[in-house]
Amino acid sequence: MSDRDAGAEATSEPAADNPSVRRVSDWDAKRLRGLAAEYETPLYVQDLDRVRENCERLLGAFPDADVRYAVKAHTGRAVLEAVRDAGLDAECASAGEVDRALAAGFDGSRLHYTAVNPPARDLDYVVGVAAAEPDLTVTVGALDTLDRLAERGYDGRVCVRVNPGVGAGHHEKVTTGGAAKFGVPYDRAAEAAREAAERFDVVGVHAHAGSGIDPEQLDSHRELVARMGDLARELIDPDDGSADPLDLEYVDVGGGFGVPYEEDAPPLDLPAVAAATREAVAPLPASVDLAVEPGRYVVADAGVLLTRVNTVKPTPDETVVGVDAGMTDLLRPAMYDAYHPIANLGGGLERDGNDSPAPEDREATPVTVAGPICETGDTLCRNRALGDPTRGDLLAVGVAGAYGYEMASQYNSRPRPAEVALDDGTATVARRRETLGDLTAAERDANRHRAEGTEGVR
Ligand SMILES: *Cc1c(COP(=O)(O)O)cnc(C)c1O
């Protein structure tokens, strides 16, 4: 029995020691309160042990595939090292991500740079890296990008990104499969790959449909995978015999494996997704691997954002609970209307100064939780029952490990939060809290260079 068959028979029952989801209520509340007291809030907590478990489940479901971590979901050094040790490759969307992945110890053979309208500076950098790491692969979604690589003397490994014309996605802003921005149109992809093969070593074809493959969207995922299988077969063994066959190493069908944000949403049945993927892509020659690129799935439920209640304001319409984390710390609710589970870990005081009762002993009235940013959209949730928060309560915002810190900004001149990594239970500061000085560092550098008459960095 081949590995592929063994994988297809994987059971859908999650292993007891590696459950398929970690809910916000599964975190040790006492530990989180301790971390907030020690490192202050807002604070991201990223559990590397859970990152490892997520990697293991992915490798277990796709035993014979190349599993590549889409670095943009969380680029913290400790996370990258954990993912590297677990055996995943790195899929990078920018020069900055390639730089981080190299620093975390990924060598060229495990680096995949996916260039989307790449700025010249990014191409210069990556072509430079490829000179030292010739096993690096550049995934290209436009003929212009091929020309720009050739102009820089690049003739190495290239993968052709295809717009498969079908898209998954939990929100229109994260659906990429149908958006013309991403990839060569499907019906021109074979031609583009053959043209690329004249100048580069074409090693694969790639499509990423968008984020949020969930049980209802399995059909569009299957369709995308089937189309990519067809394309690969056409390139490997052209039917009309007029084109030269390409020696592909892999068919990459992207990421987008969904995680349940809502408390009662079922976890993704990963073995079922894996089985559907293998079935839809088949048959491929034995020398051609399937590749997948999960980002969110690796890190999302390994992270929480801790934030402290500083204001409770009853109004005729609703009670607004003001906290110290906002859209600059966690953008997803404001940007995608995303739902994040929130647990009230208590610890606050009544207005008379007495300790508040434990949150579970309070009345659960629906509240809006709002951050400190001057934007109406700066809310973490609306109309949600959270055990009647009082000033000083600690809230844990769950499933915040993916696209959380990564999308943080300094808007409203707010320093980015701190992040601690938990490794086998031990906490270390992974990213220190930014200071007010960090906010003005680039400006002060520019002023200094002007005063000194030096050029500085443009
Ligand atoms: C963002 C991205 C991914 C990962 O998406 P997730 O939803 O986090 O799994 C994979 N591949 C590419 C090309 C991406 O841009």
Side-chain angles (χ1 to χ4, degrees), residues 408-456:
S409 77
Q410 296 177 333
Y411 179 47
N412 268 216
S413 286
R414 301 212 66 83
R416 275 178 285 233
E419 181 177 63
V420 294
L422 297 179
D423 194 352
D424 204 11
T426 305
T428 41
V429 178
R431 311 200 232 212
R432 69 160 170 82
R433 185 176 305 287
E434 287 184 344
T435 63
L436 296 183
D438 290 324
L439 300 175
T440 53
E443 245 171 82
R444 280 179 287 119
D445 281 352
N447 288 338
R448 196 183 69 239
H449 285 299
R450 196 177 322 116
E452 291 171 358
T454 50
E455 197 172 337

Side-chain angles (χ1 to χ4, degrees), residues 192-277:
R194 290 188 189 114
E195 191 190 316
E198 289 165 20
R199 292 181 283 175
F200 307 95
D201 182 12
V202 175
V203 295
V205 288
H206 168 286
H208 169 65
S211 293
I213 297 174
D214 64 26
E216 279 102 74
Q217 288 174 332
L218 212 48
D219 278 347
S220 76
H221 173 69
R222 214 181 262 123
E223 191 182 329
L224 172 144
V225 174
R227 287 182 145 223
M228 295 305 289
D230 290 344
L231 173 64
R233 280 185 289 278
E234 165 60 16
L235 290 172
I236 294 163
D237 184 13
D239 2 281
D240 63 4
S242 61
D244 288 336
L246 297 189
D247 203 6
L248 297 186
E249 291 173 15
Y250 62 82
V251 179
D252 186 332
V253 298
F257 301 101
V259 298
Y261 284 92
E262 261 129 73
E263 287 90 337
D264 55 359
L268 189 69
D269 185 346
L270 195 63
V273 174
T277 306

Side-chain angles (χ1 to χ4, degrees), residues 70 72-73 91 114 161 206 208 211-212 254-257 293-296 403:
K72 72 176 187 288
E91 189 274 327
T114 307
R161 181 169 186 174
H206 168 286
H208 169 65
S211 293
F257 301 101
E293 291 176 345
R296 181 186 319 274
Y403 307 104

